[in-house]
Amino acid sequence: MKRFIFDTYEEVCSAASELYVKQLNEKPDTVFGFATGSTPVGLYNELVKKYESGEIDFSKARSFNLDEYYPMKKDHPQSYDYFMRDNLFNKINLSAFSLPSGEAPNAQAECKRYDAEIEAEGGIDLMLLGIGHNGHIGFNEPSVSYSMGTYLTKLTQSSIDANSRFFGPDEVQPTEALTMGIGGIVSSRKIILMITGDGKAAIAKKLFDGMIHADVPASFVLLHPDVTVFMDKAAAGNL
Ligand code: GLP
């Protein structure tokens, strides 16, 4: 594991974006894994800037996202599909992007289809992850056992509460999601984990205490042979 701690969130995003330049130079047809949440937004802005200035070209690359609420219409402003189009996909020239479909009539069939689609594209080269306050990655919530492949999961109250800020008072907030499993995530060739803000300091302390915690899903990511962690001082405050 490589871990970098920067003074500010902006520096984290700028440093992480350099890995995308390097990755695309080495492999223009990279298969990216992308994440939602507020943490990667600054990185997505950096990637858009680099695309607009001609520094990077995504035309041969494609992407898969970690997760999507279920059920969820693609065009709902709180869907992860909408979030990704709004923050990144509409602003760069990726050749294709996929998310698990929150509109699929049969969740189990959609999970199988999604895993087969990732496999058919040769797997994920560079996976981006954020982390939930309870240590979740994607929507793999703390548990005693974890799914290898994509699956339908119930969100914990902590995750529902954390994401409630995005939903209006009259909007129904989903309590389930389709998410890549831990197995799918750690099958990626490289992983970037971003941990920023003082709200993540407590989980960061547990994650880096030298133990693999079965109830911290992000712990399993640290076993990956090529993981780069980017943190700001706020999140690293308790280390
Ligand atoms: C959601 C997503 C995760 C993300 C997490 C943290 O639950 N499913 O992929 O890492 O939120 O979000 P934030 O970056 O807003 O703290």
Side-chain angles (χ1 to χ4, degrees):
M1 177 190 66
K2 286 185 221 117
R3 193 174 70 194
F4 300 102
I5 300 171
F6 293 91
D7 284 346
T8 65
Y9 173 70
E10 288 71 26
E11 287 170 88
V12 165
C13 296
S14 165
S17 75
E18 293 304 328
L19 289 195
Y20 285 77
V21 177
K22 188 165 175 274
Q23 177 68 29
L24 282 168
N25 283 338
E26 287 169 8
K27 191 171 187 282
D29 61 345
T30 290
V31 178
F32 289 108
F34 285 128
T36 50
S38 47
T39 306
V41 169
L43 168 61
Y44 294 157
N45 291 341
E46 286 296 319
L47 296 181
V48 171
K49 272 196 239 160
K50 283 184 156 46
Y51 165 68
E52 285 173 348
S53 71
E55 202 182 330
I56 43 177
D57 171 28
F58 291 91
S59 63
K60 295 193 172 67
R62 62 114 69 227
S63 71
F64 289 95
N65 257 75
L66 273 173
D67 49 10
E68 177 61 283
Y69 289 116
Y70 191 85
M72 180 53 91
K73 293 269 180 226
K74 264 189 183 18
D75 289 327
H76 190 292
Q78 299 315 329
S79 79
Y80 284 172
D81 200 295
Y82 187 102
F83 174 95
M84 289 306 301
R85 282 180 282 133
D86 197 35
N87 283 286
L88 191 64
F89 300 153
N90 288 347
K91 299 175 177 172
I92 60 171
N93 64 339
L94 268 184
S95 72
F97 61 87
S98 304
L99 292 88
S101 173
E103 297 182 358
N106 180 320
Q108 276 72 28
E110 172 58 11
C111 293
K112 275 195 177 163
R113 187 206 63 75
Y114 195 60
D115 286 340
E117 191 187 357
I118 295 172
E119 205 182 318
E121 292 295 329
I124 293 170
D125 292 306
L126 180 59
M127 181 83 232
L128 175 66
L129 299 173
I131 185 171
H133 294 99
N134 60 4
H136 76 223
I137 46 170
F139 269 130
N140 292 277
E141 300 282 22
S143 177
V144 289
S145 59
Y146 293 94
S147 178
M148 292 294 287
T150 300
Y151 68 109
L152 175 66
T153 185
K154 281 201 187 335
L155 306 185
T156 57
Q157 196 56 45
S158 137
S159 299
I160 294 170
D161 294 346
N163 291 331
S164 63
R165 66 190 194 274
F166 299 115
F167 289 83
D170 303 330
E171 285 179 319
V172 178
Q173 188 182 351
T175 56
E176 292 187 299
L178 305 178
T179 181
M180 278 186 202
I182 297 283
I185 292 168
V186 300
S187 306
S188 310
R189 288 175 196 93
K190 296 177 193 167
I191 298 179
I192 295 175
L193 172 60
M194 293 176 74
I195 312 178
T196 59
D198 55 7
K200 300 287 169 65
I203 192 65
K205 186 173 171 53
K206 189 166 177 187
L207 183 63
F208 296 115
D209 71 358
M211 304 292 287
I212 295 298
H213 295 278
D215 64 346
V216 178
S219 266
F220 297 101
V221 172
L222 302 186
L223 299 172
H224 191 279
D226 192 339
V227 55
T228 309
V229 181
F230 289 101
M231 304 181 74
D232 61 5
K233 267 195 169 160
N238 295 343
L239 297 183

